[in-house]
Amino acid sequence: MIANRATIGEALYGAHPMEESLEIREAAIRHCRQLSLRWGDAVPSAELARGFPYKGARIKLVGPQGVFKPKELTDGPLTLLSTLASSYEDEHLEGDEVLYDYAPRSREYENHGLKRIAASGRKVILLKQVKTKPRPEYMIVAPVAMLGFDDAARKVRLSLVGAQTEAAGIPAPVPAPFSKAYTETIVKARLHQAHFRRQTLAAYQERCCVCELRERPLLDAAHIVPDRLPEGVPTVRNGLAMCPTHHRAYDQAILLVTEDYQVEVRGDRLAHGDSDATRRMLLDFHGRALWLPKEERLRPDPELLRKKIELAA
């Protein structure tokens, strides 16, 4: 005799399958929040592929297609895959809501599963791809509620409100300060940051323009002119790909870039300029040529570099 699903669930976990599914879902959300705290909005696909821990086992977090339900869940899908639009303006966000396409008709059962989850008030996880292959990266938005379904347009409306507050005891990811000026919600700010970082790192072939570090997870997109000023727009020509050390030094005007793309280190602003570490990490780069994008149209705007130097004076 074959045991039914409820009997199996109780035997494995000692709980009703629907209650167990809720615990699994909450464990997944906690894990995703922790990934965001560790990696920011560039979580490597390899981290997602490892799944998440639950009672001594690991459960899959993502599958090959848009809507995914791990076999351990009985209540419905857990994650939704999406890609970053070609530009921020193409994201079509309405406040804290976004539309997500239905699964194709050949997988209509996935749409039924999403409706079942929505009816029960349970949340899903949105995984938004911010870098394509090789080594894709994702921005995690969790938890996400489903507000309604448009069968004619074949779209589901998602609410991102829950992703902006503490969930499962873990705070929401905080966007870089510059991006807050453009948007009224944290999720929109994170999307602004994701677009700016993707475009800037691509222009600089994923390396720090000062030291040429090529570890993408450690690279930032630094503004030349800050966003509080009219010139401080989030475009590649107002951006520099930098490692965290040189980004911080640039923001503090310890390190500057001249109009002819030379690195200038302000030794008079260093408290320990005679230390070996300061020499290796900062002073040795004084006078060096900046690593530049191959395409001239993507290189820093000299007017913006001049403005930055004026602000630092």
Side-chain angles (χ1 to χ4, degrees):
M1 180 178 177
I2 299 176
N4 62 32
R5 190 181 295 263
T7 303
I8 294 173
E10 291 170 6
L12 287 176
Y13 305 114
H16 189 279
M18 289 300 286
E19 294 174 359
E20 189 68 25
S21 287
L22 181 58
E23 289 183 12
I24 293 173
R25 194 172 293 277
E26 291 173 346
I29 291 171
R30 283 196 301 273
H31 181 74
C32 283
R33 279 297 183 94
Q34 290 165 347
L35 287 178
S36 290
L37 289 179
R38 178 183 177 188
W39 296 98
D41 287 331
V43 179
S45 60
E47 287 291 326
L48 296 177
R50 294 179 60 210
F52 62 97
Y54 182 74
K55 294 188 176 180
R58 295 199 77 86
I59 297 177
K60 289 185 68 174
L61 189 60
V62 62
Q65 297 167 329
V67 180
F68 176 70
K69 183 187 83 67
K71 63 182 181 181
E72 292 83 357
L73 281 183
T74 60
D75 58 356
L78 176 64
T79 54
L80 308 178
L81 278 177
S82 180
T83 57
L84 204 64
S86 58
S87 69
Y88 175 79
E89 290 72 22
D90 292 332
E91 293 291 350
H92 298 302
L93 284 167
E94 297 179 9
D96 294 306
E97 299 175 9
V98 66
L99 295 177
Y100 185 83
D101 291 335
Y102 275 19
R105 296 185 187 278
S106 60
R107 304 200 311 273
E108 198 67 38
Y109 61 90
E110 294 178 353
N111 302 320
H112 294 323
L114 291 176
K115 292 178 180 179
R116 188 167 62 250
I117 287 293
S120 68
R122 298 189 178 186
K123 309 296 193 298
V124 293
I125 298 164
L126 179 62
L127 304 173
K128 202 163 185 65
Q129 189 181 67
V130 296
K131 178 185 177 294
T132 58
K133 295 178 180 180
R135 297 184 294 277
E137 295 173 351
Y138 291 85
M139 181 176 83
I140 299 176
V141 185
V144 171
M146 289 168 285
L147 300 180
F149 296 80
D150 187 336
D151 289 336
R154 296 187 62 78
K155 293 182 183 294
V156 55
R157 183 171 293 276
L158 305 177
S159 170
L160 310 181
V161 172
Q164 302 183 153
T165 58
E166 181 179 302
I170 301 172
V174 178
F178 85 82
S179 57
K180 294 177 182 176
Y182 298 100
T183 59
E184 66 274 18
T185 71
I186 290 176
V187 170
K188 283 188 174 182
R190 290 172 64 194
L191 283 170
H192 254 296
Q193 180 174 318
H195 278 280
F196 181 59
R197 182 174 183 269
R198 180 183 67 175
Q199 294 161 359
T200 303
L201 296 195
Y204 286 83
Q205 297 182 314
E206 300 183 0
R207 70 181 71 197
C208 174
C209 64
V210 177
C211 66
E212 298 186 30
L213 177 71
R214 298 195 67 182
E215 296 298 328
R216 182 184 170 90
L218 302 181
L219 297 179
D220 301 331
H223 259 58
I224 296 173
V225 176
D227 73 308
R228 67 177 182 272
L229 300 176
E231 303 95 324
V233 293
T235 61
V236 173
R237 299 209 71 195
N238 189 42
L240 295 167
M242 288 182 159
C243 69
T245 296
H246 294 130
H247 185 180
R248 182 66 62 86
Y250 191 68
D251 285 348
Q252 297 297 320
I254 293 172
L255 182 151
L256 295 169
V257 177
T258 65
E259 298 170 52
D260 57 350
Y261 304 134
Q262 299 293 310
V263 177
E264 180 181 299
V265 179
R266 307 285 293 274
D268 60 322
R269 297 195 176 193
L270 295 169
H272 302 284
D274 56 346
S275 74
D276 288 342
T278 301
R279 176 182 54 77
R280 288 195 309 270
M281 299 178 73
L282 290 170
L283 291 171
D284 281 356
F285 294 101
H286 179 74
R288 289 194 187 183
L290 202 71
W291 172 271
L292 291 170
K294 290 184 177 180
E295 295 185 55
E296 190 169 345
R297 65 181 182 86
L298 299 176
R299 294 177 181 178
D301 185 333
E303 290 293 329
L304 297 177
L305 293 172
R306 186 183 304 119
K307 179 71 174 181
K308 170 71 174 183
I309 292 172
E310 291 172 359
L311 293 171

